[in-house]
Amino acid sequence: MSTQPIDVQSVLDGFDTPWSPRIPLYVNDYDIRIAKFLGEHVWHVHHETDEFFLVLDGEIAIGLREADGERVVTLPRGSMFVVPRGTFHMPSSEQGASVLLVEPTGTLSVGDEHDEVPDHVDATIGHRV
């Protein structure tokens, strides 16, 4: 783990690939992930963990499949949201966005269960910076 401050913009400048999160830091057993969003991800679910989103730049939408149907949560820059464990969800961004995520280390970016993963989505546990 780094003992020096990490500049978020430097992390973002270090990669271009959407849906391919980078891990600059760990907190206890959690990854602090930085990702770029563009287009649609994939419908997926994390059965055992919540997923935290903080929009650093741009705007994202998160589709949610809940007991009473589907809805979409829109998060502009500076907004935070937690997808509860066991909720199918699909993040997307029409214009592109930069997002900070917090998830337990080793969490697969496409969840425990998912639709077919498109080629533009990196099914990964994250890439260390």
Side-chain angles (χ1 to χ4, degrees), residues 46-67:
H46 304 280
H47 292 299
E48 302 298 324
T49 186
D50 302 332
E51 186 171 10
F52 172 86
F53 295 81
L54 168 61
V55 180
L56 302 171
D57 192 36
E59 181 176 280
I60 70 171
I62 303 175
L64 302 166
R65 290 182 182 158
E66 300 173 314

Side-chain angles (χ1 to χ4, degrees), residues 52-57 75 78-81 98-101:
F52 172 86
F53 295 81
L54 168 61
V55 180
L56 302 171
D57 192 36
L75 303 173
S79 296
M80 296 181 280
F81 186 75
S98 300
V99 181
L100 183 145
L101 302 111

Side-chain angles (χ1 to χ4, degrees), residues 11 15 17-26 31-34 107 109 121-129:
V11 175
F15 72 105
T17 311
W19 309 118
S20 185
R22 300 308 194 252
I23 305 169
L25 292 172
Y26 300 93
D31 294 344
I32 305 303
R33 299 179 182 191
I34 304 290
T107 300
S109 63
V121 172
D122 184 9
T124 181
I125 59 168
H127 304 280
R128 284 192 78 180
V129 173

Side-chain angles (χ1 to χ4, degrees), residues 29 36 125:
D29 297 329
K36 295 183 179 181
I125 59 168

Side-chain angles (χ1 to χ4, degrees), residues 88-106:
F88 269 92
H89 59 288
M90 183 181 66
S92 64
S93 178
E94 288 185 22
Q95 301 298 317
S98 300
V99 181
L100 183 145
L101 302 111
V102 179
E103 298 180 285
T105 298

